[in-house]
Structure formats: C-alpha cells, structure tokens
Amino acid sequence: MPGETATLAATEPAAKAAPAVLEVEGLKTWFFTRGGIVRAVDDVSFSLSEGETLAIVGESGCGKSITALSILGLVPSPPGRIVGGAVRLRGTDLLRVDEEAMRRVRGNEISMIFQEPMTSLNPVLTIGAQIEEALTLHQTALSRAEVRARAVEMLQLVRIPEPERRAKEYPHQLSGGMRQRAMIAMALSCNPRVLIADEPTTALDVTIQAQILELILDLQRRLGTAVILITHDLGVVAETAQRVIVMYAGRKVEEAEVFALFEQPLHPYTRGLMGSIPHLVDETTERLAEIPGMVPALNALPPGCAFAPRCTMATDRCRAEMPPYREWQAGHFSACWHAEALMTGRSPPPLAGEG
Amino acid sequence: MPAYIARRFMLMLLTLFGMSVLIFVLLRLMPGNVADILFDASGFIDPAERARIEEELGLDQPVVTQYVQWIGALLRGDLGFSYVSERPAIEEILPRIPVTAQLAAWSLLFSVVLGVPLGVISAVRQNTGLDYALRLVSLSGLSLPSFWLGLLILMAFVQWFGFIPIYTETPATPWDGFLIYALPALAVGFRSSALIMRLTRSSMLEVLRQDFIRTARAKGATEQTMNYRHALRNAVLPVVTIIGIEAAFLIGGLIVTETVFNIPGLARFLVEAILWRDYPIVQNLVMLIAVVVVAVNFLVDMLYAVLDPRIRYAD
C-alpha cells in the first residue's frame, strides 16, 4: 500500500510530558459489503496522554465514529471487522483481549457518549437506573445503597437540579440538554481514564452546546479524564482541544497542536473546513466557502490522494500517487504533496468560494 | 394515569353495550327458533302448539322488548332458563367455567412461555441455523389448525405411551390432572406461541438496532443484560398487545379442541346451545366471553402503561 512506510515512520507523536494512556496504531477497520471492501478506517494512528483533549475532525463518513467504535470493540460485525493495528490501553492491546475482558473496559476504563441524547437512553428505564447499571457492572464492591447514592451524586456533578427527583424520572421527561448531561453522568460514573465524546453537542440547541462542552471540559479537569472529542465543528475544536487530527475518507490527513493547525493548516481539506466556519466579525457579505463535491465512496477511492477530486490545488501527481504522511514542522503532520507550498505561503492556493 | 384508566373503562363499557346488541341481533337473524328445532325432531309442525311455546318463551314479543328484558334481567344477575334442559342457565354455565378457564390459562401460559424466549433467541441469533429452524417451526405453527394438531398429539401419545389422558373431574394424581389440560393446551397454544414468537423476534430485531442498545453495550453490559433488561423490556410492548388479541382467538381454538379431547367445557357447550337455538344460554355465554375478552384487553392496556412510562405519564 503506498504511503504505508511513511505513515509508520511518522506515527510517533512529538515528545509529551504526560504518559500515553491510549495508543492507537495502524488501526484498520474495514467493512466487507456486497459492493466491495469499504475501508472506513485505514491505517489510523494516534496517542492520547492523560488529561489531554484530542479532537478528531472531519465530515460525515470520514471514519471518525468508526474509529471510536473500534477502540471500544463496538463495530457492528458483520459486515465490519478490524483487520489490523493495535489499540493499547496502558500497554494492553484491546484488540487481543477476549470479549469478557473488553466488557470490563467498556464504561469502566473507556466510556463513550453519543450524538443523540434522545435515542441513546433507554426509554423504559429511569435515568437513575441507567446510571446505576454502569456502577453495578463495574464497581462490584459497592452496596445497593452506595450505588444509588453515587448515581445521584453523578447527576449533581453534571449540574442537574434536584438530582434525587430526576434519578427517578424517565428520559422522555428530560430536555435534550438534560439527557446529554445524564449521558455524561453515566459515562463518568466509573471514573474512566478515557472519555470518547462522539459529536456530543451536534443534536443540541446552540445555547445548550456551549454549556455541555464547558461541562465536559470542567469535569475533565476535575477528574483527570483524557477526552477524545469527535466533531465536524472546528469552532468546537478551537475552544476545547489541545491537539487535532483531521480525517478524510478513513485516513488521517493532518495532525497538529490546535494553535498550529489554526495558524497554518497544511492540508487543503483542513483549509476547506476552516473556510466553512462563519465569522461574526467578517464585514464582507461573501458567501461561506464550501468544499465542492462529497466524500468519495470508500469502496472506490482514487489511486492518488482521496481528496484530489475536490481539491483546487490538485495536480496530476495528486491524482496518481498517494501523498506520504509526514511531519513538516515539529508535531505538525500532513499528507499532502503541496504541504510545503502551504507552509511557505508560496502560491496562495485559491479555494472555491474564496475571492 | 387515573384519567387514562377512566377513559379506557368507559370505552370498555361502550364496547360491551355494542357487543350485547350484536349478539342479540345476530342470534335472531339465524333462521328458526327453539320451537322449530323441537318440531324438526318430531317430524311434524303443529302451528297452535308452536305459537304456545313461542308465547311461553316470550319469542312472540318485538325484538326490542326481548332485548330490554334480557339486559334488564342480566343486570339483576338473572340469566333465565335454558330452553332445552329447563334448568336455570346459571347452573348450566357456572360449573363449566373452571374447566375452560383452566384450559385457556394453560394455553396462554404455554404460548407466552414458549413464544417470548424463543423469539428473543431467534432475534439474537438472527440468520443462524437455529433462527431458521425456529422460524420454520413457527410458520408450521401458524399453518396447523389446532384440531389437527390435537389429533396428532393424541396419536403420538397413543404411539409412545399407549394411552390417552381422558377427562375426569377427579384425576387420580395431580400429574394426571395436569396432563388432562396440558395436551389440549399445547394444541391450542401452539398457534399463539408461533405468532408471539414471530412478533417477539421482529420486535427484538427492531429494538436491537436502536441507539440505546449501543449505549448499553458501551457501558459494558453483558449480552444477557442487553437482550433481556434493555431490549426485551422495549420489544415486549407490541407482544403484550398481541397476547390480548390472542386471548380472543384462543376461545375459537378451544371450541374444536374441547371436542377433539372430549372435555366438557364452555366452548363445546356453546356450540350445542347454538344448534338448539337455546337463546338464554347462547346470549349469556357469548356475552360472558365478550366480557372476558374485553376485560383481558383492558388489563393489557393497563399492563402497557406499567411497562411503558411514556404512556403512564401521558396525561
């Protein structure tokens, strides 16, 4: 596979002070469908340090959520299968442990919250019962009363008013924001090392979105949880994450510290994503930039760069050869033939919708 | 919740009123009355004698008057006299109730105990050999008439054990007593269990695709917890409704099965009463069945509210 050696050579992240709690290496999650093999996640590597917030960004269908589900071993199978790589939680490869051991990891050491708080809670069980369940599954030393008390305590922690009463209520009696708070309470109840938040604010009101993000960050600081934040919203990333991975068509296309990424994106796709954020201060009446076209079908990727068909900078080389994933500046990786040009600012590339 | 119960209760009374009119009118639309049947047996018709019988039984009165008399008496607890045996109808009906009630209860129990878990297993093991086998068995269950299945069961019993459990009011051992009901219950309940299994299966498959199942999995729930605590609690709602409807179909199945197994229950008795145009027995018996069916459906609706908090708090 072209680009493999380059990718492997570049997987080691920049030196970090905090030890890595989760390392994903060369993860490949493929779906074997009638239409062919869909490489939903193809050779994705990253590491997550204790207490860090890592954002994974990209459009729908770029493989963000499947990456998250792969970490927890929740990829629907068939048709999905993890065909290669490693997911190491403090050294233990989760892809090599049995289902029972994996079950003890889920909700205990790695938790996940989902996009749709409306449908992600069981409608016939009380909020309290659903939080207690995680505790009874993993904190077997706790008594019934202690479990109940801890569930109420968790609801209080996520700032749900009248937690005792809310614990006895059902999901349909809570607002969307409240439900997401309850989901967070559930996910954090066993004090996990890693929290995966898959588009946690996408389905919520704009006014609630900021509250929920702030809550996640606050709890992260207090509990020391490492967070993987999956989003398509670069605005959210700027406010929350320390490091960002940009994914496109199942692959990593860029990775950098959040400041470096916003300062100087080294991939046209990242630039495109940034161009589609509205700016309040922008006085001009220009249309928002959009990236032309759609994410290509993952079972029929072009031989070269997957983004080439939509890229305004694309050359013949881009269409023919897959660009290597390289470290261009300290801690700043990108897979683009034109990264150097983007870095030096030579030939400012015109993007659709700009100018 | 109280408003919900009150509303359902009013609806139940209305349904029963409609049923009583329907039963009464349909019965009188049937050609011939008890006098005709009596004369039919003796081979000649004496118009004077016939008129006397009709007058005595009140059959010469207008239909509306007859209806009012029936309902009035029924509300006072007076079921009238059987035309055929000339004994009070209540004495004919009451002793047969426990027989049929036990049979119906066993059938329903059998269909639920068999249908629900097999439906869950079939859904969880979707598209495996076990799933295909269970679906095939359930399809055959839906296609086999209960009297035919009853005959097969009897033949199998004779073949393997050399005897058939014969109905008696005083079985020698509790096991014999159980067998008397279990076999016909199996014949009647098999169809319902097949229906319940198929419905449980499709309902489970639907629920297992839901987001909250993924949440439960991400929490570290075991397969057991996920399938029964999370999925089945949701999937059972439509199944409960079907169980209520099946209770009504069950009575139809009982009529033939009581005949095949020679059990002196209500269902077989009803058929005889219809043949005799024994209005007091038929009217009151069908009304009793209607009350049972409507009451079961009322209970099902209440159960629905217990199982689904979204209904409980709808008011």
Side-chain angles (χ1 to χ4, degrees):
Chain A
M1 184 173 311
E4 178 116 6
T5 33
T7 314
L8 284 178
T11 42
E12 279 309 306
K16 287 264 176 323
V21 54
L22 185 78
E23 288 170 293
V24 174
E25 198 180 293
L27 181 69
K28 288 181 186 164
T29 307
W30 294 359
F31 286 78
F32 296 84
T33 67
R34 234 168 266 172
I37 297 173
V38 175
R39 300 177 179 189
V41 177
D42 201 12
D43 204 8
V44 167
S45 307
F46 59 86
S47 84
L48 182 71
S49 312
E50 274 170 23
E52 184 190 24
T53 302
L54 171 73
I56 302 181
V57 188
E59 288 167 285
S60 316
C62 69
K64 302 167 295 188
S65 294
I66 299 297
T67 304
L69 292 175
S70 303
I71 292 171
L72 277 174
L74 293 178
V75 175
S77 166
R81 206 165 76 216
I82 298 174
V83 293
V87 175
R88 278 190 291 273
L89 178 72
R90 291 187 304 145
T92 312
D93 187 355
L94 298 182
L95 302 183
R96 305 275 179 280
V97 303
D98 64 4
E99 181 59 23
E100 182 54 31
M102 199 59 219
R103 203 181 59 67
R104 283 195 296 269
V105 169
R106 292 181 197 133
N108 191 22
E109 300 203 63
I110 306 179
S111 277
M112 187 157 174
I113 52 181
F114 298 96
Q115 177 174 349
E116 279 287 344
M118 307 292 163
T119 54
S120 294
L121 288 166
N122 192 329
V124 302
L125 297 177
T126 60
I127 298 294
Q130 295 188 57
I131 299 174
E132 287 162 25
E133 188 176 27
L135 290 161
T136 359
L137 280 165
H138 302 296
Q139 316 273 301
T140 38
L142 295 181
S143 72
R144 278 300 296 137
E146 283 170 325
V147 164
R148 206 163 295 159
R150 175 107 173 107
V152 172
E153 196 183 301
M154 284 313 296
L155 286 175
Q156 198 153 24
L157 192 69
V158 296
R159 292 170 219 155
I160 287 183
E162 300 180 76
E164 286 92 357
R165 186 169 70 84
R166 290 299 185 185
K168 294 191 191 84
E169 290 191 340
Y170 291 90
H172 73 277
Q173 292 168 289
L174 271 60
S175 68
M178 288 267 232
R179 284 184 227 194
Q180 196 59 295
R181 284 169 193 270
M183 278 292 291
I184 295 170
M186 199 162 85
L188 294 180
S189 60
C190 295
N191 232 330
R193 291 168 184 283
V194 179
L195 174 71
I196 303 174
D198 188 0
E199 306 258 9
T201 59
T202 308
L204 299 176
D205 258 334
V206 185
T207 47
I208 310 292
Q209 284 185 5
Q211 289 179 21
I212 294 292
L213 279 178
E214 206 242 309
L215 176 70
I216 293 175
L217 291 181
D218 180 48
L219 292 177
Q220 172 187 27
R221 271 193 297 274
R222 277 209 256 169
L223 306 172
T225 320
V227 174
I228 298 177
L229 181 73
I230 295 171
T231 180
H232 61 264
D233 186 347
L234 276 173
V236 167
V237 172
E239 289 168 44
T240 53
Q242 281 109 54
R243 217 149 42 86
V244 188
I245 288 172
V246 182
M247 281 185 74
Y248 186 79
R251 291 179 152 266
K252 275 202 308 185
V253 293
E254 186 163 5
E255 177 176 354
E257 302 291 322
V258 71
F259 186 76
L261 187 91
F262 279 90
E263 185 72 15
Q264 194 174 52
L266 293 185
H267 198 286
Y269 178 59
T270 315
R271 287 178 56 99
L273 287 177
M274 286 176 184
S276 54
I277 308 174
H279 293 280
L280 273 181
V281 286
D282 206 340
E283 293 291 321
T284 57
T285 52
E286 279 174 41
R287 288 184 55 205
L288 277 179
E290 56 177 83
I291 308 172
M294 290 192 311
V295 181
L298 291 173
N299 54 355
L301 286 179
C305 173
F307 187 59
R310 302 171 69 187
C311 183
T312 48
M313 296 174 75
T315 56
D316 286 344
R317 191 184 190 190
C318 297
R319 284 181 274 271
E321 278 178 75
M322 192 176 290
Y325 189 76
R326 278 190 47 193
E327 185 167 13
W328 295 96
Q329 285 167 354
H332 197 153
F333 301 78
S334 159
C336 178
W337 290 117
H338 304 292
E340 203 156 9
L342 286 166
M343 194 162 58
T344 54
R346 274 188 289 127
S347 66
L351 273 169
E354 273 186 6
Chain B
M1 187 65 184
Y4 173 72
I5 297 176
R7 207 163 49 230
R8 281 298 290 118
F9 193 75
M10 288 309 294
L11 198 66
M12 186 168 91
L13 291 184
L14 207 65
T15 312
L16 285 179
F17 169 71
M19 281 300 299
S20 71
V21 173
L22 209 62
I23 292 166
F24 198 84
V25 172
L26 282 179
L27 201 54
R28 266 140 196 91
L29 282 178
M30 269 202 305
N33 58 28
V34 67
D36 295 316
I37 307 283
L38 286 171
F39 281 117
D40 197 36
S42 57
F44 76 99
I45 297 169
D46 178 347
E49 182 68 3
R50 195 191 137 156
R52 199 191 59 75
I53 294 174
E54 286 187 348
E55 195 194 331
E56 192 186 301
L57 298 177
L59 298 177
D60 55 342
Q61 308 256 349
V63 172
V64 178
T65 316
Q66 288 186 43
Y67 175 77
V68 172
Q69 279 171 354
W70 170 49
I71 290 295
L74 190 62
L75 291 179
R76 287 193 306 274
D78 175 11
L79 303 192
F81 286 81
S82 163
Y83 293 168
V84 180
S85 70
E86 299 192 337
R87 291 171 59 208
I90 190 100
E91 285 179 21
E92 296 277 11
I93 293 174
L94 268 184
R96 290 179 165 93
I97 288 179
V99 177
T100 301
Q102 278 197 60
L103 198 52
W106 278 113
S107 308
L108 208 56
L109 187 74
F110 174 77
S111 60
V112 173
V113 165
L114 201 67
V116 172
L118 287 183
V120 173
I121 291 168
S122 195
V124 172
R125 305 259 170 276
Q126 192 196 3
N127 294 336
T128 61
L130 184 64
D131 179 32
Y132 286 122
L134 285 172
R135 281 158 71 186
L136 197 71
V137 171
S138 75
L139 194 65
S140 72
L142 287 177
S143 346
L144 278 180
S146 58
F147 69 88
W148 172 243
L149 185 64
L151 288 176
L152 285 183
I153 290 174
L154 285 180
M155 281 158 65
F157 228 77
V158 171
Q159 185 72 35
W160 290 329
F161 303 108
F163 79 103
I164 297 173
I166 309 245
Y167 180 82
T168 155
E169 275 177 36
T170 50
T173 63
W175 174 247
D176 285 352
F178 169 76
L179 273 187
I180 288 169
Y181 289 111
L183 295 189
L186 195 73
V188 180
F190 191 55
R191 196 199 90 94
S192 304
S193 80
L195 192 70
I196 288 170
M197 194 217 109
R198 292 182 85 82
L199 194 71
T200 307
R201 178 181 180 274
S202 61
S203 182
M204 274 293 284
L205 286 177
E206 182 75 29
V207 173
L208 285 172
R209 272 198 294 271
Q210 305 277 324
D211 286 350
F212 61 81
I213 295 297
R214 190 183 55 188
T215 307
R217 213 184 280 267
K219 238 194 276 186
T222 56
E223 285 288 317
Q224 209 71 348
T225 322
M226 225 157 48
N227 292 337
Y228 288 92
R229 182 176 149 97
H230 286 277
L232 187 59
R233 283 268 333 241
N234 282 279
V236 87
L237 296 173
V239 179
V240 167
T241 313
I242 272 295
I243 292 173
I245 297 170
E246 274 303 292
F249 276 98
L250 210 64
I251 302 199
L254 287 179
I255 290 175
V256 263
T257 311
E258 284 186 353
T259 311
V260 169
F261 285 86
N262 201 23
I263 292 171
L266 279 178
R268 205 181 65 175
F269 182 52
L270 175 65
V271 179
E272 286 163 17
I274 291 172
L275 292 178
W276 278 101
R277 307 291 187 272
D278 195 347
Y279 293 167
I281 297 287
V282 178
Q283 277 164 198
N284 292 314
L285 208 48
V286 177
M287 200 59 206
L288 175 72
I289 293 170
V291 168
V292 169
V293 170
V294 170
V296 166
N297 277 287
F298 178 74
L299 285 178
V300 162
D301 277 4
M302 294 300 110
L303 191 60
Y304 219 100
V306 171
L307 292 173
D308 191 345
R310 285 163 296 187
I311 293 178
R312 205 180 317 158
Y313 296 96
D315 301 312

